[in-house]
Amino acid sequence: MSKRTITISIFSFIVIAVVITIIILKQPPKYYTRYGIELGTDVKITYATDRGNAKKVVDDMFNKFDEYEKIFDPWLNGSELYNLNHSNGQWVKVSPELLAVLKNSIVLANLTDGEFDPTIGRLVPLWGFNTDNTHEWHLPSPQSIKNALIHVGYKNVEIKGNEVKLLNGVWLDLNGMMEGYIDQLLINIAKANDPNSTGYVDVGGTVGIIGPKDGSQPWIIGIQNPRGGPNDAIAYVKLYKGYVGTSGDYERYIVVDGKRYYHIFDPKTGYSNNYFESITTVSTISTLSDGFGVFAMVNGSSNINEWAKKLGISYLAIDENGKMIEGPGWTAYEYKP
Amino acid sequence: MSTSHKIFSKWDLLLIISVIGAVMIWIGIKQFSPNASEAVILIDGKIYEVLQLNKSGYYKIYNGKTYLMTVETKDGAIRAVYSTNWVFPATEENQVSVATGWISKDGESIISIPNKIVIYTRGMKEKTPYDVMTFQN
């Protein structure tokens, strides 16, 4: 091989290597996305990292759902929450995960004077909303609701260290904050692998941001039209960090004599209220992204701006006539394609 | 200085440009060529089938021997036309997957919670304006 051929080869190799390196460096992070059905809802995780294998990290995150189900599913015989609800007023040692969601729920219950209340557990099966079988969903008798309300009230929950006692036969249903909290736990796994990793976690429509899209751009989150299909967005949110969650009246509901009844109950009456079709909230606190929405569906619009400001929450509500109502600071998150 | 002492002759330069050009074209094709439009069908998080959406047809989805759903592909789109589940007989009002209708953009999906089926599209001409959707929990 002549000296000139070698020189040409080396020169060509260097030029090609430099160009390929530039292309690779300019590439946005390669996102790995996995879909699944977990905890009776759909889950989507999108993740990119420079450290290790993104697929393995996402698989590890998905593997945690079995554990979460055994903690939080109130209708799964033998789950931690099921056992607590059937503990007949005894002190029960609980996991840090259950304790965290319960403590956050009680804080919000105290703040809202019980308009958010995690002890509405006995009302749920009364309406049949604890099952996916729509044939089980029905309007209970007023007397059965009255009877169940005797066993509702957050002041019946006592917490001592890592032990919990439920008085007066109350049943907990932690769905009002569980999904946001699970988002947070999964984000912790992603960040433990790589603090600079990016992506998002979507557990049942509650979305938590791991890191900005491609490292610097916001993720665009559609807000489902409460009277449209699952892929039909009515508005959009842009988020670099934090959590967004939605509460609404459009998935678990029945219509009786023209009136819509859905799965979020006013703890004082045992029935749902028809102030909003949905409310979407943005928060830096995972449990509040869901919890505030549940509270607002019960409370209506009378003083939610005051509460939103107090709790550092922005929201977009869609009232019973389909009109959009923007909460304080919403414009900072609003995205118009 | 005579031309014989130049590092590259004009033929050498032509060769270098040709080689680099060919490699660049190959990289460009690999980077920017669109994927075929297809729908990925997952059951319980695992890929069950990938359907090409340039073909029209009906496809039945089974979990083992249990029939779960029928989907239709046509004109670069896919929809669920019937869905059942293990727990109770399917009726019109509980087939959310069927009510979803056609999906034809990247970012859209069809979900059947009772059957643990997720269908999503990839390589489509259009993308939804959003990356992910928030909905009631």
Side-chain angles (χ1 to χ4, degrees), chain A residues 42 44-45 75 83 89 110 145 273 315 317:
Chain A
D42 43 319
K44 182 182 177 190
I45 300 175
W75 318 116
N83 289 341
N110 269 309
I145 289 178
N273 293 332
Y315 71 84

Side-chain angles (χ1 to χ4, degrees), chain B residues 100-112:
Chain B
T100 302
W102 293 100
I103 63 166
S104 59
K105 294 176 184 169
D106 277 352
E108 292 182 325
S109 57
I110 297 168
I111 310 282
S112 170

Side-chain angles (χ1 to χ4, degrees), chain A residues 223-229 232 234 245-253 258 260-264 272-281 293-294 296-298 300-301 304 315-325, chain B residues 134-137:
Chain A
I223 297 173
Q224 186 178 329
N225 182 344
R227 297 293 178 264
D232 178 16
I234 197 168
T246 298
S247 297
D249 68 358
Y250 54 88
E251 284 206 347
R252 284 179 189 264
Y253 70 95
R260 181 181 289 246
Y261 300 90
Y262 59 96
H263 70 301
I264 299 174
S272 52
N273 293 332
N274 300 99
Y275 300 121
F276 299 125
E277 293 177 354
S278 76
I279 178 163
T280 297
T281 57
V294 172
M297 292 297 287
V298 171
S301 58
I304 57 168
Y315 71 84
L316 178 73
I318 297 163
D319 74 10
E320 71 278 21
N321 300 312
K323 188 183 157 205
M324 286 197 236
I325 301 164
Chain B
T134 176
F135 54 89
Q136 80 156 75
N137 46 51

Side-chain angles (χ1 to χ4, degrees), chain A residues 36-38 40-42 132 230, chain B residues 42-44 61 68-69 80 82-86 90 94-98 100 109-119:
Chain A
I37 308 286
E38 304 288 348
T41 189
D42 43 319
D132 289 331
Chain B
L42 307 174
I43 300 180
D44 208 3
I61 300 171
L68 299 180
M69 183 185 277
Y82 188 79
S83 174
T84 183
N85 61 61
W86 331 302
N94 65 30
Q95 294 186 59
V96 175
S97 52
V98 175
T100 302
S109 57
I110 297 168
I111 310 282
S112 170
I113 300 278
N115 288 327
K116 294 198 167 190
I117 293 177
V118 177
I119 301 171

Side-chain angles (χ1 to χ4, degrees), chain A residues 18-324:
Chain A
V18 166
V19 171
I20 289 173
T21 304
I22 289 169
I23 288 171
I24 289 170
L25 288 177
K26 288 244 173 201
Q27 288 283 312
K30 270 270 188 229
Y31 283 100
Y32 172 73
T33 296
R34 179 172 163 184
Y35 297 79
I37 308 286
E38 304 288 348
L39 297 166
T41 189
D42 43 319
V43 175
K44 182 182 177 190
I45 300 175
T46 287
Y47 185 59
T49 176
D50 291 332
R51 191 180 291 175
N53 182 318
K55 179 180 180 304
K56 188 188 171 302
V57 178
V58 173
D59 287 347
D60 288 346
M61 291 155 89
F62 265 86
N63 289 339
K64 297 295 280 184
F65 279 101
D66 280 348
E67 191 182 308
Y68 300 149
E69 189 173 28
K70 284 173 190 154
I71 296 171
F72 290 113
D73 188 342
W75 318 116
L76 177 67
N77 198 332
S79 77
E80 202 182 327
L81 191 49
Y82 179 94
N83 289 341
L84 179 59
N85 282 341
H86 294 83
S87 58
N88 299 317
Q90 301 299 307
W91 284 104
V92 177
K93 192 176 169 185
V94 299
S95 64
E97 292 85 358
L98 196 147
L99 191 63
V101 178
L102 180 58
K103 277 185 170 175
N104 278 289
S105 298
I106 296 297
V107 167
L108 191 58
N110 269 309
L111 275 174
T112 61
D113 195 21
E115 290 203 335
F116 176 91
D117 193 326
T119 63
I120 47 82
R122 283 190 185 269
L123 287 165
V124 182
L126 211 55
W127 291 78
F129 289 140
N130 56 318
T131 163
D132 289 331
N133 187 344
T134 55
H135 297 289
E136 298 281 329
W137 302 353
H138 64 277
L139 183 64
S141 70
Q143 187 57 46
S144 62
I145 289 178
K146 207 174 161 187
N147 292 343
L149 284 175
I150 295 168
H151 305 289
V152 172
Y154 69 96
K155 289 183 177 164
N156 291 300
V157 180
E158 290 187 6
I159 301 172
K160 186 176 68 184
N162 61 354
E163 290 187 306
V164 176
K165 182 158 78 173
L166 302 181
L167 302 171
N168 194 30
V170 299
W171 281 5
L172 295 170
D173 182 340
L174 300 176
N175 274 337
M177 287 192 172
M178 178 195 71
E179 287 171 351
Y181 183 69
I182 289 176
D183 273 2
Q184 184 190 322
L185 294 177
L186 296 174
I187 290 170
N188 290 347
I189 294 172
K191 288 293 189 187
N193 172 67
D194 175 4
N196 297 317
S197 55
T198 72
Y200 60 81
V201 172
D202 164 18
V203 178
T206 302
V207 180
I209 305 299
I210 299 169
K213 187 177 185 179
D214 300 334
S216 61
Q217 300 301 308
W219 291 100
I220 307 302
I221 297 121
I223 297 173
Q224 186 178 329
N225 182 344
R227 297 293 178 264
N231 296 302
D232 178 16
I234 197 168
Y236 305 89
V237 182
K238 57 179 180 189
L239 268 193
Y240 294 88
K241 61 180 181 180
Y243 301 84
V244 59
T246 298
S247 297
D249 68 358
Y250 54 88
E251 284 206 347
R252 284 179 189 264
Y253 70 95
I254 51 171
V255 177
V256 180
D257 296 332
K259 184 171 166 57
R260 181 181 289 246
Y261 300 90
Y262 59 96
H263 70 301
I264 299 174
F265 307 114
D266 185 330
K268 291 182 175 65
T269 66
Y271 292 87
S272 52
N273 293 332
N274 300 99
Y275 300 121
F276 299 125
E277 293 177 354
S278 76
I279 178 163
T280 297
T281 57
V282 174
S283 173
T284 53
I285 300 167
S286 63
T287 46
L288 280 182
S289 58
D290 288 336
F292 185 82
V294 172
F295 157 68
M297 292 297 287
V298 171
N299 177 76
S301 58
S302 59
N303 58 354
I304 57 168
N305 276 355
E306 190 188 314
W307 281 109
K309 280 180 191 163
K310 208 177 278 185
L311 298 170
I313 280 169
S314 293
Y315 71 84
L316 178 73
I318 297 163
D319 74 10
E320 71 278 21
N321 300 312
K323 188 183 157 205
M324 286 197 236

